[in-house]
């Protein structure tokens, strides 16, 4: 008779350092236990052999950590087509688990204060032409799997009882332009939205982690939310940016899965928050383009492309983005020129102008 495992039982095995792959192939699992297996990328019955605690030479065995991976891979060309098949797919255990992840991320963006009222929306691509999405007019903190809808890449709703969000078109614009974008999270976190409203992107060369894990933040000019114009503008930017400030609106981030897209949102708002506070205590001190180059090279090694090394001279790497043009020094101030400002120095005029803009907004 096959053994039955609950989530709690599996968690105990994990805590004991047990390899979940060594569980019997015919074992049965509760739905939450299956979720835990997926989280750990475990497939019972696939362990080749029980590894010894130490090698023959006596060296302790090194456990290789398994990173959680929620990326959804579908079979190209195999989307369900008939109403019956779409319905079966929409309520399959795999898709139900993804809907639950969307609800969990909704709870997290609401708990962090990234969304107010019915603001924000989340999508997960589940086929060539199928995308799960949150419905309109709902608090993202209190969704259940029954609230989630499914649309095609033109935004037509194909499943779900609640009407889909109108802003799904912006998410679809990203997915059409960037196939690696399998999930998008849109929210209005206060600090990043303040930058979007002020029309500035945070300067580069300030904090290493966002440079590595977020890359350069994009900036989309204002378009009415949910319109084809907004989708086209944001979609174009998605090829170079995983986090995009939408002018006078908010932020949209994409990732390989919903957790990844959400992390980009956290990174973006934390970065903008840190810069805002820094402005109040003397302004930022940049670490210089040579150091940013090293960080971008780390990004490359981690498999995250970055257009900046291909398109910019090293001296331009610490300049602010295109839409901060009013805060940038003239092109002639490029530090590549002879007698240039040593890297590590910050342009006082840039700092002052950004500080003034943010303080104006805060005092308004
Ligand atoms: Zn919005």
């Amino acid at each position: 008779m096959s053994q039955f495992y609950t989530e709690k039982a599996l968690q105990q095995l994990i805590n004991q350092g047990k390899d979940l792959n060594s569980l019997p192939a015919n074992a049965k699992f509760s739905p939450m236990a299956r979720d835990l297996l997926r989280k750990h990328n475990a497939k019972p019955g696939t362990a080749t052999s029980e590894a010894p605690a130490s090698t023959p030479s006596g060296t302790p065995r090194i456990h290789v950590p398994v990173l959680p991976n929620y990326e959804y891979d579908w079979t190209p060309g195999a989307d369900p087509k008939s109403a019956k098949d779409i319905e079966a797919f929409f309520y399959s255990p795999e898709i139900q688990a993804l809907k639950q992840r969307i609800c969990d991320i909704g709870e997290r963006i609401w708990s962090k204060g990234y969304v107010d009222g019915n603001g924000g929306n989340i999508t997960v691509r589940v086929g060539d032409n199928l995308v799960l999405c949150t419905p309109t007019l709902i608090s993202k903190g209190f969704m259940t799997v029954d609230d989630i809808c499914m649309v095609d890449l033109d935004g037509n709703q194909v499943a779900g009882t609640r009407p889909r969000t109108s802003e799904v078109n912006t998410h679809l614009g990203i997915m059409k332009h960037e196939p690696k974008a399998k999930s998008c999270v849109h929210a209005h976190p206060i600090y990043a939205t303040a930058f979007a409203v002020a029309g500035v992107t945070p300067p580069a060369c300030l904090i290493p982690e966002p440079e590595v894990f977020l890359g350069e933040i994009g900036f989309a000019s204002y378009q009415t939310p949910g319109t084809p114009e907004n989708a086209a503008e944001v979609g174009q930017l998605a090829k170079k940016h995983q986090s995009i400030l939408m002018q006078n609106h908010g932020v949209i981030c994409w990732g390989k899965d919903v957790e990844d897209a959400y992390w980009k949102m956290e990174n973006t708002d934390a970065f903008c928050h840190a810069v805002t506070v820094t402005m109040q205590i003397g302004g930022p001190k940049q670490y210089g383009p040579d150091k940013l180059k090293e960080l971008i090279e780390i990004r490359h090694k981690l498999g995250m492309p970055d257009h900046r090394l291909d398109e910019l001279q090293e001296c331009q790497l610490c300049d602010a983005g295109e839409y901060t043009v009013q805060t940038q020094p003239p092109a002639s101030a490029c530090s590549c020129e002879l007698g240039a400002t040593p890297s590590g120095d910050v342009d006082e005029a840039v700092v002052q102008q950004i500080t003034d803009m943010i303080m104006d907004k805060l005092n308004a």
Side-chain angles (χ1 to χ4, degrees):
M1 196 177 126
S2 58
Q3 196 157 353
F4 182 80
Y5 291 90
T6 62
E7 183 202 23
K8 195 174 166 194
L10 277 193
Q11 193 58 58
Q12 277 172 354
L13 294 176
I14 293 167
N15 295 343
Q16 291 161 11
K18 176 97 177 168
D19 179 5
L20 298 182
N21 293 324
S22 66
L23 294 174
N26 66 348
K28 298 273 186 284
F29 301 92
S30 71
M32 287 178 78
R34 278 202 297 273
D35 211 28
L36 199 58
L37 286 173
R38 270 193 292 273
K39 189 173 162 188
H40 287 268
N41 274 337
K43 290 193 172 58
T46 60
T48 45
S49 64
E50 192 67 47
S54 63
T55 62
S57 64
T59 315
R61 184 165 63 93
I62 297 169
H63 288 275
V64 178
V66 178
L67 294 173
N69 179 17
Y70 305 127
E71 185 172 357
Y72 184 79
D73 291 313
W74 62 88
T75 307
D79 280 4
K81 295 285 186 314
S82 71
K84 188 169 161 252
D85 288 348
I86 289 173
E87 189 82 350
F89 175 72
F90 186 64
Y91 289 105
S92 65
E94 229 175 359
I95 296 304
Q96 291 292 91
L98 286 175
K99 291 177 192 170
Q100 184 58 55
R101 290 207 187 291
I102 291 175
C103 297
D104 293 345
I105 293 298
E107 200 178 320
R108 284 161 78 181
I109 59 173
W110 181 83
S111 304
K112 294 278 282 184
Y114 291 173
V115 288
D116 54 296
N118 63 301
N121 24 77
I122 303 167
T123 49
V124 173
R125 191 167 177 182
V126 291
D128 295 332
N129 195 27
L130 292 172
V131 176
L132 296 175
C133 78
T134 48
T136 190
L137 295 175
I138 194 169
S139 168
K140 300 305 161 302
F142 300 89
M143 297 185 296
T144 70
V145 291
D146 295 335
D147 295 320
I148 307 302
C149 338
M150 191 163 71
V151 296
D152 63 22
L153 252 69
D154 293 321
N156 303 307
Q157 186 154 349
V158 296
T161 50
R162 294 182 66 118
R164 53 84 164 162
T165 168
S166 61
E167 287 191 279
V168 74
N169 291 320
T170 313
H171 299 231
L172 299 175
I174 290 177
M175 290 171 181
K176 283 177 187 168
H177 282 89
E178 177 49 74
K180 284 189 229 153
K182 290 186 173 177
S183 176
C184 297
V185 173
H186 163 56
H188 313 134
I190 298 295
Y191 291 95
T193 300
F195 272 76
V197 173
V200 292
T201 47
C205 300
L206 295 181
I207 305 175
E209 281 82 357
E211 298 294 359
V212 172
F213 295 108
L214 194 58
E216 187 185 35
I217 296 174
F219 196 101
S221 64
Y222 182 78
Q223 305 287 347
T224 304
T227 58
E229 291 77 14
N230 195 44
E233 166 121 14
V234 172
Q236 278 294 338
L237 287 164
K239 289 190 276 191
K240 288 185 181 174
H241 308 281
Q242 278 193 264
S243 170
I244 298 162
L245 303 185
M246 295 191 284
Q247 189 176 19
N248 294 90
H249 180 179
V251 188
I252 190 160
C253 299
W254 67 260
K256 67 182 175 61
D257 56 45
V258 71
E259 179 85 15
D260 187 27
Y262 169 72
W263 282 8
K264 303 291 181 273
M265 183 65 70
E266 268 194 8
N267 291 154
T268 304
D269 199 53
F271 187 22
C272 291
H273 192 166
V275 171
T276 305
V277 174
T278 305
M279 296 298 185
Q280 296 163 17
I281 53 172
K285 308 289 182 286
Q286 290 171 299
Y287 45 67
D290 53 331
K291 297 295 180 200
L292 178 56
K293 197 174 166 198
E294 288 175 19
L295 295 170
I296 295 175
E297 278 161 1
I298 294 172
R299 261 179 79 74
H300 277 285
K301 281 183 194 149
L302 291 170
M304 297 185 277
D306 195 301
H307 71 104
R308 287 176 289 181
L309 282 192
D310 301 327
E311 296 177 10
L312 300 175
Q313 296 179 57
E314 185 172 311
C315 65
Q316 296 172 307
L317 287 175
C318 288
D319 291 348
E322 183 185 352
Y323 284 87
T324 59
V325 63
Q326 70 271 38
T327 69
Q328 285 186 11
S332 61
C334 179
S335 58
C336 283
E337 292 174 13
L338 287 176
T341 310
S343 62
D345 279 8
V346 68
D347 188 296
E348 295 294 335
V350 174
V351 173
Q352 194 54 53
Q353 279 182 303
I354 296 174
T355 306
D356 290 347
M357 288 185 73
I358 291 173
M359 292 311 289
D360 285 350
K361 294 286 168 194
L362 290 173
N363 292 332

